[in-house]
Amino acid sequence: RNGVLSARWTAIMENGELQMNEAARSHQSPQIMTASTKPQWKTVARDPKIECAGSLSFDAGKSNAKLERLELSTADKQQLEAQGTISDISGACVVDVTGRATYDLANLLNRARPLLGGSVSITGQDTQSFSLRGPLRANAPTSSPVDVSVQPLPRALVSPGLNGQCGLKWTSANIFGIDVGSGQLQPRLAAGEIETGPIAFSLSRGRFLLVPHIALNHEPPLMTIDPGQVFESVQITEAMCEGWLQY
Protein backbone atom coordinates (compact mmCIF):
# COMPACT_ATOMS: atom_id res chain seq x y z
CA ARG A 1 0.00 0.00 0.00
CA ASN A 2 1.48 3.35 -1.10
CA GLY A 3 4.81 1.66 -1.76
CA VAL A 4 4.92 0.04 1.68
CA LEU A 5 5.06 -3.73 1.94
CA SER A 6 3.65 -5.24 5.13
CA ALA A 7 4.08 -8.81 6.33
CA ARG A 8 2.97 -10.94 9.25
CA TRP A 9 4.15 -14.45 9.95
CA THR A 10 3.95 -17.37 12.34
CA ALA A 11 6.31 -20.32 12.05
CA ILE A 12 6.77 -23.45 14.15
CA MET A 13 9.78 -25.74 14.06
CA GLU A 14 9.55 -29.09 15.86
CA ASN A 15 12.33 -31.52 16.78
CA GLY A 16 15.02 -29.23 15.45
CA GLU A 17 18.71 -30.14 15.54
CA LEU A 18 21.86 -28.10 14.97
CA GLN A 19 24.57 -30.24 13.41
CA MET A 20 28.25 -29.64 12.68
CA ASN A 21 30.48 -31.30 10.12
CA GLU A 22 33.21 -32.83 12.27
CA ALA A 23 35.48 -33.45 9.27
CA ALA A 24 35.49 -29.78 8.27
CA ARG A 25 35.81 -28.65 11.89
CA SER A 26 38.97 -30.71 12.46
CA HIS A 27 40.93 -28.83 9.75
CA GLN A 28 42.32 -25.36 10.40
CA SER A 29 42.94 -24.61 6.71
CA PRO A 30 40.56 -24.94 3.73
CA GLN A 31 40.29 -28.50 2.45
CA ILE A 32 39.32 -29.93 -0.94
CA MET A 33 36.25 -32.11 -0.44
CA THR A 34 35.69 -34.76 -3.13
CA ALA A 35 32.30 -36.10 -4.12
CA SER A 36 33.11 -39.37 -2.35
CA THR A 37 33.89 -37.62 0.95
CA LYS A 38 31.18 -38.42 3.47
CA PRO A 39 30.40 -35.61 5.89
CA GLN A 40 30.63 -36.58 9.54
CA TRP A 41 27.70 -34.71 11.02
CA LYS A 42 27.46 -34.40 14.80
CA THR A 43 24.45 -33.02 16.64
CA VAL A 44 25.54 -30.16 18.90
CA ALA A 45 22.13 -28.83 20.01
CA ARG A 46 18.51 -29.94 20.05
CA ASP A 47 15.19 -28.18 20.57
CA PRO A 48 11.79 -29.94 20.61
CA LYS A 49 9.82 -26.86 19.53
CA ILE A 50 10.49 -23.24 18.54
CA GLU A 51 7.77 -20.74 17.62
CA CYS A 52 8.43 -17.48 15.79
CA ALA A 53 5.86 -14.76 15.14
CA GLY A 54 6.17 -11.20 14.01
CA SER A 55 5.13 -8.34 11.78
CA LEU A 56 7.25 -6.08 9.57
CA SER A 57 6.71 -3.18 7.18
CA PHE A 58 9.15 -2.17 4.43
CA ASP A 59 9.22 1.12 2.52
CA ALA A 60 11.33 0.59 -0.59
CA GLY A 61 11.19 4.26 -1.56
CA LYS A 62 12.67 5.40 1.74
CA SER A 63 14.88 2.30 2.13
CA ASN A 64 13.71 1.63 5.66
CA ALA A 65 11.82 -1.00 7.59
CA LYS A 66 9.92 -1.19 10.84
CA LEU A 67 9.96 -4.33 12.95
CA GLU A 68 6.68 -3.94 14.75
CA ARG A 69 6.92 -7.24 16.61
CA LEU A 70 9.22 -10.24 16.82
CA GLU A 71 8.58 -13.04 19.28
CA LEU A 72 10.55 -16.25 19.71
CA SER A 73 9.51 -18.87 22.25
CA THR A 74 10.32 -22.47 23.08
CA ALA A 75 8.49 -25.33 24.75
CA ASP A 76 10.28 -24.68 28.06
CA LYS A 77 9.38 -20.96 28.16
CA GLN A 78 12.56 -19.41 26.79
CA GLN A 79 11.36 -16.17 25.21
CA LEU A 80 12.73 -13.29 23.18
CA GLU A 81 10.80 -10.16 22.21
CA ALA A 82 12.07 -7.36 20.00
CA GLN A 83 10.91 -4.32 18.07
CA GLY A 84 12.60 -1.45 16.27
CA THR A 85 13.52 0.17 12.99
CA ILE A 86 16.11 -0.18 10.23
CA SER A 87 16.89 2.87 8.08
CA ASP A 88 19.20 3.48 5.11
CA ILE A 89 19.13 -0.25 4.35
CA SER A 90 21.15 0.07 1.13
CA GLY A 91 23.71 2.31 2.82
CA ALA A 92 24.89 2.31 6.44
CA CYS A 93 21.93 0.11 7.51
CA VAL A 94 21.17 1.94 10.76
CA VAL A 95 19.32 -0.13 13.35
CA ASP A 96 17.43 0.89 16.46
CA VAL A 97 16.24 -2.31 18.12
CA THR A 98 15.21 -2.96 21.71
CA GLY A 99 13.78 -5.96 23.45
CA ARG A 100 14.01 -8.40 26.30
CA ALA A 101 14.94 -12.03 26.79
CA THR A 102 13.55 -14.46 29.36
CA TYR A 103 15.76 -17.47 29.96
CA ASP A 104 16.41 -20.55 32.06
CA LEU A 105 20.13 -21.30 31.81
CA ALA A 106 19.84 -24.93 32.90
CA ASN A 107 17.38 -25.66 30.10
CA LEU A 108 19.46 -23.72 27.58
CA LEU A 109 22.53 -25.71 28.51
CA ASN A 110 20.65 -28.97 28.08
CA ARG A 111 20.15 -28.07 24.40
CA ALA A 112 23.92 -28.05 23.91
CA ARG A 113 24.57 -31.12 26.07
CA PRO A 114 25.62 -33.23 23.05
CA LEU A 115 28.47 -30.76 22.51
CA LEU A 116 29.41 -29.91 26.11
CA GLY A 117 28.82 -33.28 27.74
CA GLY A 118 28.25 -33.53 31.49
CA SER A 119 31.26 -31.50 32.64
CA VAL A 120 29.46 -28.13 32.63
CA SER A 121 26.33 -27.13 34.54
CA ILE A 122 24.73 -23.75 35.23
CA THR A 123 21.50 -22.52 36.83
CA GLY A 124 19.67 -19.22 36.73
CA GLN A 125 16.38 -17.73 35.57
CA ASP A 126 15.83 -14.09 34.70
CA THR A 127 14.50 -11.53 32.23
CA GLN A 128 17.01 -9.06 30.79
CA SER A 129 16.61 -6.17 28.37
CA PHE A 130 18.85 -5.54 25.37
CA SER A 131 19.34 -2.86 22.74
CA LEU A 132 21.30 -2.34 19.54
CA ARG A 133 21.60 1.09 17.93
CA GLY A 134 23.71 2.51 15.13
CA PRO A 135 25.06 1.59 11.69
CA LEU A 136 25.75 -2.07 10.96
CA ARG A 137 28.11 -1.23 8.09
CA ALA A 138 31.35 0.42 9.07
CA ASN A 139 32.12 1.57 5.52
CA ALA A 140 28.85 2.27 3.76
CA PRO A 141 28.77 2.20 -0.06
CA THR A 142 29.51 5.56 -1.66
CA SER A 143 29.05 7.02 -5.12
CA SER A 144 32.16 9.23 -4.81
CA PRO A 145 35.16 8.49 -7.09
CA VAL A 146 37.60 5.97 -5.61
CA ASP A 147 41.34 6.67 -5.66
CA VAL A 148 42.84 3.26 -6.46
CA SER A 149 46.31 4.46 -5.46
CA VAL A 150 45.23 4.81 -1.84
CA GLN A 151 45.57 1.71 0.31
CA PRO A 152 42.06 0.80 1.54
CA LEU A 153 41.41 0.84 5.26
CA PRO A 154 41.07 -2.59 6.91
CA ARG A 155 37.47 -3.69 7.18
CA ALA A 156 36.18 -3.34 10.73
CA LEU A 157 34.59 -6.39 12.30
CA VAL A 158 32.04 -4.12 14.01
CA SER A 159 30.98 -0.64 12.98
CA PRO A 160 32.54 1.88 15.41
CA GLY A 161 29.21 3.71 15.52
CA LEU A 162 27.26 0.66 16.68
CA ASN A 163 26.20 0.65 20.34
CA GLY A 164 24.55 -2.12 22.30
CA GLN A 165 23.91 -3.53 25.73
CA CYS A 166 22.50 -6.69 27.28
CA GLY A 167 22.61 -8.57 30.57
CA LEU A 168 23.01 -12.04 32.01
CA LYS A 169 22.61 -13.37 35.54
CA TRP A 170 23.33 -16.83 36.86
CA THR A 171 22.73 -18.46 40.27
CA SER A 172 25.41 -21.16 40.31
CA ALA A 173 27.61 -23.15 37.99
CA ASN A 174 30.10 -25.98 37.93
CA ILE A 175 32.69 -25.99 35.17
CA PHE A 176 34.97 -29.03 34.95
CA GLY A 177 34.75 -29.56 38.71
CA ILE A 178 35.04 -25.87 39.67
CA ASP A 179 32.16 -24.50 41.75
CA VAL A 180 31.14 -21.01 40.65
CA GLY A 181 28.88 -18.77 42.71
CA SER A 182 26.20 -16.36 41.51
CA GLY A 183 27.21 -13.56 39.19
CA GLN A 184 26.11 -11.06 36.61
CA LEU A 185 27.36 -9.70 33.29
CA GLN A 186 26.35 -6.33 31.86
CA PRO A 187 28.34 -6.06 28.62
CA ARG A 188 28.18 -2.85 26.60
CA LEU A 189 29.32 -2.31 23.03
CA ALA A 190 30.67 1.10 21.97
CA ALA A 191 33.36 2.31 19.54
CA GLY A 192 34.08 -1.27 18.48
CA GLU A 193 34.85 -2.41 22.04
CA ILE A 194 33.00 -4.49 24.62
CA GLU A 195 33.18 -3.35 28.23
CA THR A 196 31.73 -5.56 30.94
CA GLY A 197 32.80 -3.75 34.08
CA PRO A 198 34.16 -5.85 36.97
CA ILE A 199 33.22 -9.54 36.82
CA ALA A 200 33.22 -10.89 40.37
CA PHE A 201 31.89 -14.10 41.91
CA SER A 202 32.82 -16.81 44.40
CA LEU A 203 35.00 -19.57 42.97
CA SER A 204 35.87 -22.84 44.70
CA ARG A 205 35.60 -21.32 48.22
CA GLY A 206 37.55 -18.25 47.11
CA ARG A 207 36.95 -15.20 44.94
CA PHE A 208 37.39 -14.36 41.27
CA LEU A 209 37.68 -10.79 39.98
CA LEU A 210 38.33 -9.78 36.39
CA VAL A 211 37.96 -6.51 34.48
CA PRO A 212 38.25 -7.33 30.76
CA HIS A 213 38.16 -5.10 27.69
CA ILE A 214 37.58 -6.63 24.25
CA ALA A 215 38.68 -4.70 21.14
CA LEU A 216 36.68 -6.28 18.32
CA ASN A 217 38.27 -4.21 15.56
CA HIS A 218 41.81 -5.03 16.55
CA GLU A 219 43.53 -7.39 14.07
CA PRO A 220 43.02 -10.00 15.40
CA PRO A 221 40.41 -9.15 18.07
CA LEU A 222 42.15 -8.52 21.38
CA MET A 223 41.14 -8.90 25.02
CA THR A 224 43.05 -7.01 27.69
CA ILE A 225 42.65 -7.32 31.46
CA ASP A 226 43.15 -4.64 34.08
CA PRO A 227 46.10 -5.37 36.37
CA GLY A 228 45.33 -6.76 39.81
CA GLN A 229 44.71 -9.97 41.69
CA VAL A 230 42.35 -12.25 39.78
CA PHE A 231 42.11 -15.25 42.14
CA GLU A 232 41.88 -15.03 45.92
CA SER A 233 41.92 -18.06 48.27
CA VAL A 234 40.75 -20.45 45.54
CA GLN A 235 41.02 -24.06 46.67
CA ILE A 236 42.21 -26.81 44.32
CA THR A 237 39.82 -29.74 44.75
CA GLU A 238 40.10 -33.39 43.76
CA ALA A 239 37.42 -32.89 41.11
CA MET A 240 39.45 -30.05 39.57
CA CYS A 241 42.55 -32.25 39.46
CA GLU A 242 40.67 -35.11 37.81
CA GLY A 243 38.98 -32.75 35.36
CA TRP A 244 40.63 -29.84 33.58
CA LEU A 245 43.97 -29.92 35.48
CA GLN A 246 44.58 -33.61 34.67
CA TYR A 247 47.03 -33.78 37.58
Side-chain angles (χ1 to χ4, degrees):
R1 180 184 299 178
N2 298 325
V4 178
L5 175 66
S6 298
R8 295 182 180 179
W9 68 89
T10 299
I12 299 176
M13 180 181 71
E14 295 184 336
N15 301 319
E17 290 189 357
L18 177 63
Q19 296 184 335
M20 181 178 296
N21 187 344
E22 286 291 287
R25 182 188 178 193
S26 62
H27 297 295
Q28 297 299 321
S29 58
Q31 300 292 311
I32 297 176
M33 306 293 286
T34 66
S36 61
T37 303
K38 294 183 179 180
Q40 302 172 15
W41 295 104
K42 178 181 178 181
T43 299
V44 296
R46 294 188 178 95
D47 204 300
K49 185 177 181 180
I50 298 177
E51 296 186 39
C52 176
S55 58
L56 174 75
S57 60
F58 172 63
D59 189 329
K62 296 181 179 179
S63 188
N64 62 35
K66 181 178 181 181
L67 180 63
E68 296 157 354
R69 179 178 65 97
L70 175 66
E71 296 179 357
L72 288 171
S73 61
T74 66
D76 56 358
K77 308 304 180 183
Q78 316 282 346
Q79 293 182 326
L80 184 144
E81 303 172 1
Q83 58 281 317
T85 61
I86 308 173
S87 59
D88 192 18
I89 294 176
S90 59
C93 195
V94 181
V95 299
D96 186 352
V97 177
T98 60
R100 63 179 184 175
T102 299
Y103 58 83
D104 183 320
L105 293 177
N107 288 335
L108 281 176
L109 187 66
N110 284 336
R111 286 170 166 74
R113 191 62 69 189
L115 176 65
L116 298 175
S119 56
V120 177
S121 64
I122 186 169
T123 64
Q125 300 176 349
D126 199 18
T127 297
Q128 291 279 338
S129 63
F130 64 87
S131 66
L132 190 65
R133 296 184 173 94
L136 293 181
R137 297 192 181 101
N139 300 311
T142 177
S143 59
S144 303
V146 177
D147 186 350
V148 296
S149 65
V150 177
Q151 185 71 18
L153 294 174
R155 181 175 296 275
L157 179 63
V158 176
S159 169
L162 188 64
N163 295 277
Q165 65 84 27
C166 61
L168 177 70
K169 289 183 179 180
W170 68 90
T171 304
S172 65
N174 186 282
I175 303 174
F176 300 102
I178 305 174
D179 290 325
V180 178
S182 61
Q184 178 176 355
L185 289 176
Q186 293 287 343
R188 293 182 177 274
L189 170 66
E193 297 190 0
I194 296 178
E195 301 283 349
T196 67
I199 303 174
F201 49 81
S202 62
L203 179 69
S204 189
R205 301 182 182 179
R207 292 289 296 172
F208 174 89
L209 175 62
L210 190 71
V211 185
H213 312 272
I214 304 172
L216 297 175
N217 291 336
H218 188 276
E219 185 59 43
L222 176 69
M223 182 176 74
T224 59
I225 300 172
D226 283 0
Q229 185 173 358
V230 176
F231 298 99
E232 179 182 348
S233 303
V234 173
Q235 297 187 14
I236 305 298
T237 65
E238 183 177 344
M240 292 168 62
C241 294
E242 294 177 350
W244 65 282
L245 286 177
Q246 295 291 309
Y247 178 76

